[in-house]
Amino acid sequence: MAQGILYMVDQAGGLRRMKPSAPENEDRMQMLVARYPELITDGDGDLLLIKREQAISDAEGGYGRWSLDHLLVTRDAIPVLVELKRAVDTRLRREVVGQMLDYAANATAYWQAGRVAESFEQTARLEGNNAEQLLSEFIGERDAAEFWDQVDANFTAGRIKLVFVADEIPRELARVVEFLNEQMRADVRAVELRWFADDSGVETLSPRIIGETERAAATKRQSRTLEPLTVDGWIKQHIAPMGEIAAAGAQGFTRCVEEVGGEVLVARQQGSVIASTRSDDGRPIYLMHLWPSRSGISFSLRWLYKRPSLADEGVRQGLLDALKDVVGTLTTENLRGFPSFQPGVLADQTVQRKFVVWLRDAFEIARRAV
């Protein structure tokens, strides 16, 4: 797409001619997008960088097969997957589309709860920043655990945004982006980040969004309005396809939570069923999550370890060991992670009775102020 000349007016009232240029390398483009995500934003507003070179697996529990250039999130907790190429890279015309679809398909299928939050904290730590402070500045008064839960739920449900970035977007890619945006649940965009420079080396960047059509925008606005879903309806939709034992175990899980005085509710974005209670100060505590498909039921230590009553690793380890005695092997021993088990385990009435005892103790400890 042809680029003209930009004219900048300097303080003396003179004109500086900014001629079409190009980034010196891809790493510089990536660095600028990471530091200034507003370069590629559109109607979603501000973006929060989660990580550069985010690993994406192609199997459950697998290692990262691919590396995504940037992972960001919107204030509405929508994950944004960004792949960046220079215009001189011939892969920009065809290969980048297949590459991005690989990322999206596998990320939504095999993403593990809590990974986005962990990547964000890792990035903040490497840059010498306080992750909690950065997140608070971004989401305001919202609860951090609720925000990250919503991010995970959106990932699992495929409510994501795919963004192709280049200093020049070929017509072939622009047409593909517009087509995909009309056909997919995910939002698909291209950002042409045009480069200009004057004779003294001063550079100017001019972003242009490509891909949003009025028809696609209207359709996706409607699709974001979710129909209310009961817990039973959620289980029927997300767990029942795994078989009768899994569905029976999921129903058993909800009964156990209610038996010990907990609350069972479908998350706002319908990405999970939450077992919650209230702390002594009235704030919600998300003790466990029932995730869709084979992600299982998690003991959500990723959020719980910050509670005063669970800050001691020995307390968390004791609860984890007791849970293993009830349900068997868990997916992880991480005391700040999401140790999980399959819902079918709770189809057994004997296991359910033992689980109720464990659940009552876990809720009691979690509720304490100290």
Side-chain angles (χ1 to χ4, degrees), residues 288 297 320-330 340-342 345-346 351 354-355 358:
M288 306 192 82
I297 298 171
L320 191 69
D321 290 341
L323 180 60
K324 287 191 295 183
D325 288 342
V326 174
V327 301
T329 303
L330 301 169
S340 306
F341 60 94
Q342 289 302 305
V345 173
L346 293 177
V351 176
K354 294 179 180 178
F355 182 66
W358 177 87

Side-chain angles (χ1 to χ4, degrees), residues 154-217:
N154 286 334
F155 237 131
T156 303
R159 289 187 288 271
I160 59 177
K161 175 171 282 195
L162 310 179
V163 181
F164 301 90
V165 180
D167 51 310
E168 185 175 342
I169 299 295
R171 286 188 176 87
E172 302 96 320
L173 179 58
R175 285 196 295 269
V176 171
V177 166
E178 290 179 352
F179 174 78
L180 291 175
N181 194 41
E182 292 200 346
Q183 300 299 318
M184 294 177 64
R185 173 186 298 179
D187 282 334
V188 185
R189 302 282 190 276
V191 178
E192 188 172 69
L193 194 56
R194 292 177 289 175
W195 237 260
F196 296 85
D198 67 4
D199 293 335
S200 67
V202 174
E203 294 178 313
T204 298
L205 305 183
S206 176
R208 185 166 74 98
I209 307 297
I210 297 169
E212 183 168 19
T213 64
E214 287 302 318
R215 182 172 62 183

Side-chain angles (χ1 to χ4, degrees), residues 131-308:
E132 290 187 7
Q133 182 178 342
L134 287 177
L135 182 63
S136 178
E137 292 171 356
F138 186 70
I139 65 175
E141 297 299 318
R142 291 182 62 184
D143 181 78
E146 180 184 344
F147 176 78
W148 291 125
D149 275 353
Q150 191 171 339
V151 171
D152 288 332
N154 286 334
F155 237 131
T156 303
R159 289 187 288 271
I160 59 177
K161 175 171 282 195
L162 310 179
V163 181
F164 301 90
V165 180
D167 51 310
E168 185 175 342
I169 299 295
R171 286 188 176 87
E172 302 96 320
L173 179 58
R175 285 196 295 269
V176 171
V177 166
E178 290 179 352
F179 174 78
L180 291 175
N181 194 41
E182 292 200 346
Q183 300 299 318
M184 294 177 64
R185 173 186 298 179
D187 282 334
V188 185
R189 302 282 190 276
V191 178
E192 188 172 69
L193 194 56
R194 292 177 289 175
W195 237 260
F196 296 85
D198 67 4
D199 293 335
S200 67
V202 174
E203 294 178 313
T204 298
L205 305 183
S206 176
R208 185 166 74 98
I209 307 297
I210 297 169
E212 183 168 19
T213 64
E214 287 302 318
R215 182 172 62 183
T219 300
K220 288 176 183 182
R221 278 195 298 271
Q222 293 172 3
S223 68
R224 290 190 184 117
T225 304
L226 301 173
E227 291 293 327
L229 192 61
T230 65
V231 172
D232 286 344
W234 191 95
I235 291 173
K236 182 177 180 180
Q237 181 176 323
H238 294 286
I239 305 299
M242 295 167 56
E244 292 182 4
I245 293 177
Q251 294 287 357
F253 169 69
T254 65
R255 286 194 301 271
C256 290
V257 174
E258 291 170 346
E259 184 175 336
V260 299
E263 182 181 6
V264 182
L265 64 153
V266 177
R268 184 166 59 180
Q269 292 297 315
Q270 301 180 2
S272 65
V273 165
I274 304 171
S276 73
T277 186
R278 295 275 173 180
S279 65
D280 293 341
D281 59 9
R283 300 190 66 179
I285 301 170
Y286 302 141
L287 188 80
M288 306 192 82
H289 289 74
L290 170 61
W291 301 97
S293 188
R294 297 191 178 279
S295 297
I297 298 171
S298 69
F299 178 26
S300 301
L301 291 171
R302 181 65 186 78
W303 313 133
L304 294 169
Y305 82 89
K306 296 179 180 180
R307 289 200 55 75

